[in-house]
Amino acid sequence: MLRATIIEDAIIYKNGNQELVGIGTITLPDVEHKTESITGLGVIEHEEVIPTSFNSMSLSLKFINRCKDVMLGPGNVNLTANAVILVENTETHDQEEQKIVVSMKGKVKKTTGGDLGKATKNETEVELSLTYYKEEIDGMVKHEIDVYNRQAIVNGVDLYGKIKSLLA
């Protein structure tokens, strides 16, 4: 069994080839299904998870200081994060690297001003409202959500596959 340990390094690109310099961390979105409360005669109230409907997704980029790369908008922003994760084989105790590619599309929702003071880091944060999110680990799609094109893969399972065939 492989166990993830740390992220060795990562690079963030805008529009596929323009490296964003000065990013300290990114906070990836939560993949959270919408729910609906079910109640009625003879039914104990509970929440029903809707497999193909999701709460809005946000991405946060934390820059170590203010720079021109902080200005991502206006309009659509296309970002790709390439990262290398160090994993351990729990049986052999050997280490190996795995590649993660995260593709995101959205619009800038908020840019914080950060701190301004003598000999301090500014730490500006940019938050994006995402309309597309795809996470691949070693070439296998873990998540892919496209809010405009009825695409929802969660933990490698295509949640829209059967629905698309029924609607055809």
Side-chain angles (χ1 to χ4, degrees):
M1 179 171 80
L2 295 178
R3 182 182 66 156
T5 57
I6 62 167
I7 297 173
E8 284 194 87
D9 204 357
I11 297 176
I12 315 299
Y13 294 101
K14 180 181 175 183
N15 298 324
N17 60 2
Q18 180 186 350
E19 183 177 348
L20 292 180
V21 178
I23 293 181
T25 60
I26 67 170
T27 303
L28 297 175
D30 294 332
V31 177
E32 182 180 2
H33 295 275
K34 285 191 176 187
T35 60
E36 186 66 42
S37 292
I38 306 297
T39 187
L41 297 174
V43 176
I44 297 173
E45 184 174 348
H46 65 284
E47 285 192 358
E48 188 68 34
V49 175
I50 305 167
T52 56
S53 190
F54 300 89
N55 290 329
S56 60
M57 297 179 293
S58 292
L59 169 79
S60 179
L61 300 164
K62 188 172 190 174
F63 289 82
I64 57 174
N65 220 331
R66 206 154 184 84
C67 62
K68 65 178 179 166
D69 286 340
V70 170
M71 309 307 162
L72 295 175
N76 290 323
V77 178
N78 299 320
L79 299 175
T80 304
N82 294 335
V84 176
I85 292 182
L86 183 64
V87 296
E88 283 183 348
N89 185 317
T90 57
E91 293 175 15
T92 65
H93 295 242
D94 290 334
Q95 293 180 327
E96 64 180 71
E97 288 86 14
Q98 290 184 343
K99 182 177 181 178
I100 294 181
V101 178
V102 181
S103 304
M104 301 149 285
K105 296 178 184 175
K107 292 180 175 59
V108 174
K109 179 167 132 177
K110 175 176 137 181
T111 302
T112 67
D115 296 327
L116 189 61
K118 183 177 179 179
T120 62
K121 292 188 286 184
N122 180 258
E123 295 186 333
T124 300
E125 289 187 50
V126 177
E127 187 176 342
L128 277 75
S129 176
L130 297 182
T131 55
Y132 180 82
Y133 175 71
K134 182 178 183 180
E135 180 181 341
E136 300 173 84
I137 299 176
D138 268 356
M140 296 180 63
V141 176
K142 181 167 174 57
H143 300 304
E144 183 174 16
I145 298 170
D146 185 338
V147 300
Y148 296 136
N149 294 301
R150 290 190 178 148
Q151 181 71 32
I153 296 172
V154 176
N155 292 321
V157 177
D158 184 356
L159 302 177
Y160 262 113
K162 184 175 181 183
I163 291 172
K164 284 180 181 178
S165 68
L166 290 171
L167 291 174

